[in-house]
Amino acid sequence: MIRKLIATDNDTATTIVRLVLGVIFFAHGAQKLLGWFGGYGFTGTMGFFTGVMHIPAPFAFLAIAAEFFGGLGLIFGFLTRIAALGIFVNMIMAVAMVHHQFGFFMNWTGAQKGEGYEYHVLILAVTIFLMIRGAGSASIDRILSSPATQPSRGQVA
C-alpha cells in the first residue's frame, strides 16, 4: 500500500509543479498556524473559522493542518499524494462554503464583495495531477520508491 502511495517517476516538470504548489500552501498555512506573512496565527484563525464562519473546531484545525503540513509535504515531496489530497479537500470546502456565492472570477477590479473560485479550480487541477503522477524527481517519495531502496526478490518485504 505505501509503495503505491509513494511511487513516482523522475519527471522534472512534476517537481516544478509540486514545489510551486508546496510553497504557496506552506505560506498560507504559516499565516494561519504561525502568524507569519501577516497572518493571524493559530488562535486568531481558529477564532475566525469557528466563531465567524461557524466551522466545527476539528474541521478548522484540519484545514490549517492541510495547508501547513500539506505544503511542507509537497516541498519535500514526502507523501505527496496524501498532501495533495488534503489540499484538494481544503479547496473543495472553500468553494462550497465561501467562494461559490461570488461566481467564477476572482475580484480583480474590486467590484464584487468576495473572491470567486477560479483560483480554487486551478489548485484542484494541480492537486489531481499530483495525486495521479506523484512527486516527480528531487523528492523523498522518489528516493523511497527507487529500486535501490526496494528489497531484492529473495528478501521478504
Side-chain angles (χ1 to χ4, degrees):
M1 170 77 162
I2 190 74
R3 287 200 178 115
K4 288 182 180 182
L5 280 175
I6 64 172
T8 190
D9 56 21
N10 203 24
D11 188 23
T12 303
T14 302
T15 301
I16 293 167
V17 169
R18 172 180 53 82
L19 284 171
V20 170
L21 187 65
V23 168
I24 289 168
F25 274 87
F26 172 76
H28 281 274
Q31 286 179 314
K32 292 173 178 72
L33 185 66
L34 305 173
W36 293 2
F37 312 114
Y40 295 107
F42 183 74
T43 303
T45 303
M46 284 294 288
F48 177 75
F49 281 178
T50 59
V52 176
M53 298 185 71
H54 306 293
I55 298 172
F59 293 122
F61 174 78
L62 286 173
I64 295 168
E67 289 188 15
F68 184 78
F69 294 109
L72 278 177
L74 292 178
I75 289 169
F76 290 104
F78 182 61
L79 299 175
T80 298
R81 288 181 171 91
I82 294 171
L85 177 63
I87 292 169
F88 176 87
V89 171
N90 203 357
M91 293 296 98
I92 290 286
M93 294 309 299
V95 170
M97 294 188 70
V98 178
H99 298 281
H100 75 280
Q101 65 187 325
F102 302 113
F104 180 73
F105 294 103
M106 299 293 293
N107 190 14
W108 297 108
T109 62
Q112 61 194 49
K113 292 182 180 180
E115 299 290 347
Y117 56 87
E118 68 178 309
Y119 164 81
H120 303 82
V121 171
L122 179 61
I123 298 304
L124 289 171
V126 171
T127 56
I128 290 169
F129 174 82
L130 291 173
M131 286 187 282
I132 293 168
R133 295 290 298 265
S137 63
S139 66
I140 293 173
D141 287 353
R142 176 75 179 147
I143 293 167
L144 294 175
S145 67
S146 71
T149 61
Q150 304 298 317
S152 66
R153 289 190 173 259
Q155 295 176 328
V156 176

